[in-house]
Amino acid sequence: VSARLPRYRCGGCGRLIDPAVQVWRCPACGGLLVLEPAGASFPLASIRDRPTTLWRYREALPFDAGSDAPGRVTMGEGFTPVVTVTLGDAPVLAKVEFASPTLSFKDRGAAVLIAAAVELGATEVVADSSGNAGAAIAAYAARAGLAATVFVAATASPVKLAQIAAHGAEARTVDGDRESVGRAAREEVESRGAFYASHVHNPYFHQGTKTFVFEVWEQLGGRMPDVLVLPVGNGTLLLGAWLGLGELYSAEAISAVPRLVAVQAAGCAPVAQAWALGAGDVEPVVGAGTVAEGIAIAAPARGAEILAAVRDSGGEVVTITDEEIVAAGRELAGQGLYLEPTAAATAAGARRWIEQQGAGGADVLIPLCGAGLKGAAATTQVH
Ligand SMILES: [Zn+2]
């Protein structure tokens, strides 16, 4: 069954590994896996005739034309609208990612990841999440008829916990930090031999999030903006975007890649700290806490990949305070767009970057990653 999926490559030792239900890291060195490139193409004339979902870029997705897995999982995810918003005095393009089946951009990764699990013949999946990825995995697992166990921090938004449970997944809360939650999930994966539906470790998640930039390219008439401002915790959207930009560039669909500006919350900013030091990898920090729970990742496993992507794009890392996050959330709610704090953090980062650069006329696009209703507990504190 798995022969129809591309092989993994270990980022540590370079070994090629056949995909299988139980494989989520290199069996030899424990390294992080990426997917072997399969030669993406973007036949726009054909793409335009297809349904407006992320699956319209099928020549760039790692599934055989005969696979029924995408059809078994899809809920119409992708092709979210692009609108113009104002940050300070600056007009900025905003892609409304919360207009997704489970109200966050994580549906992109979850749809493709669960389709891969189906293709591999998995019957159950295990995930860990600050909330939104867990909700997306729970929903798509339910859609595909797979059992799901999702580990979340005891401090996660009650709304997200309720969402996970509503889909029939077993939500297991773990006391401690985000890293403790991940460890608990991996122990479960190893003991059960289950498919690890991790948005950090499993490279299929980035195969989904990369479609974000394909859509931007198509929706802007075959071009990319100069700057993409993206939130960074584990970097699931930024790494997917970088992967997708590389595929668009290799296929000669674009002649230059945008600068990637990564946004971190001051209360938990290990990537920003490494960036300031000019380091090649990220050292864990002890976070002071932030309202942006979705990017409060003290030890991002793919930190080195995040730093390399930002550096290679000519971008940078900006840090914003909770006060700026709250202010940006109010600013966008005042324009009709109600965001959870983690999503407002991206807008705050874009505003900060534009002000720092004096770049009021810059060609900038931000994602609006998660709906305001998702973070009900956190937003209640700020009104
Ligand atoms: Zn290895």
Side-chain angles (χ1 to χ4, degrees):
V1 181
S2 63
R4 295 199 305 194
L5 289 172
R7 288 193 291 179
Y8 298 125
R9 178 183 291 279
C10 173
C13 69
R15 187 179 306 259
L16 288 170
I17 301 150
D18 287 330
V21 168
Q22 293 88 353
V23 175
W24 62 271
R25 61 178 167 184
C26 176
C29 79
L32 291 159
L33 303 180
V34 297
L35 215 58
E36 272 288 274
S41 65
F42 302 89
L44 204 47
S46 304
I47 290 169
R48 284 198 183 109
D49 288 337
R50 297 174 187 162
T52 48
T53 76
L54 62 80
W55 300 100
R56 70 205 259 109
Y57 308 103
R58 70 168 75 119
E59 291 85 357
L61 290 168
F63 295 93
D64 189 274
S67 172
D68 67 348
R72 283 182 54 190
V73 304
T74 188
M75 294 190 277
E77 55 287 331
F79 226 72
T80 54
V82 175
V83 301
T84 302
V85 298
T86 305
L87 299 177
D89 297 326
V92 167
L93 294 168
K95 191 157 168 59
V96 189
E97 287 290 278
F98 67 79
S100 296
T102 76
L103 310 182
S104 93
F105 82 97
K106 292 283 194 341
D107 289 348
R108 295 184 184 278
V112 173
L113 181 58
I114 295 299
V118 167
E119 186 73 27
L120 289 170
T123 56
E124 60 171 341
V125 303
V126 172
D128 52 278
S129 164
S130 65
N132 281 340
I137 293 292
Y140 282 90
R143 181 75 171 173
L146 307 184
T149 306
V150 181
F151 290 78
V152 293
T155 53
S157 155
V159 176
K160 294 175 185 175
L161 281 172
Q163 192 180 11
I164 290 166
H167 293 301
E170 184 183 347
R172 287 206 212 161
T173 55
V174 177
D175 290 322
D177 59 12
R178 180 67 183 80
E179 285 61 47
S180 310
V181 178
R183 273 195 300 277
R186 289 190 286 278
E187 282 167 17
E188 185 78 4
V189 165
E190 295 297 332
S191 70
R192 298 243 295 261
F195 182 87
Y196 188 22
S198 167
H199 59 291
V200 181
H201 292 274
N202 197 311
Y204 275 98
F205 207 90
H206 300 128
Q207 294 291 314
T209 54
K210 75 181 184 182
T211 60
F212 172 83
V213 292
F214 300 163
E215 293 174 16
V216 170
W217 167 76
E218 185 182 350
Q219 289 170 309
L220 298 189
R223 70 171 195 95
M224 292 302 298
D226 294 336
V227 179
L228 294 177
V229 181
L230 301 167
V232 167
N234 276 311
T236 47
L237 184 53
L238 184 139
L239 291 173
W242 186 240
L243 176 66
L245 289 168
E247 293 181 354
L248 286 167
Y249 186 82
S250 294
E252 298 183 348
I254 55 174
S255 56
V257 295
R259 296 161 72 184
L260 302 186
V261 174
V263 179
Q264 293 231 283
C268 189
V271 175
Q273 186 174 302
W275 179 260
L277 294 169
D281 204 350
V282 174
E283 295 297 326
V285 297
V286 178
T290 167
V291 293
E293 62 175 3
I295 53 171
I297 306 297
R302 294 188 187 264
E305 293 175 48
I306 294 167
L307 289 168
V310 172
R311 187 170 290 123
D312 291 349
S313 78
E316 66 177 282
V317 182
V318 298
T319 307
I320 36 82
T321 65
D322 277 10
E323 289 71 26
E324 289 174 279
I325 294 171
V326 171
R330 287 204 180 115
E331 186 174 25
L332 283 174
Q335 297 170 47
L337 295 152
Y338 185 38
L339 307 176
E340 69 171 313
T342 304
T346 312
R351 182 168 178 167
R352 165 71 75 93
W353 184 82
I354 289 166
E355 286 172 0
Q356 277 175 0
Q357 305 283 312
D363 181 25
V364 176
L365 182 138
I366 61 173
L368 305 179
C369 287
L373 298 176
K374 290 279 218 164
T379 44
T380 303
Q381 297 162 8
V382 305
H383 289 303

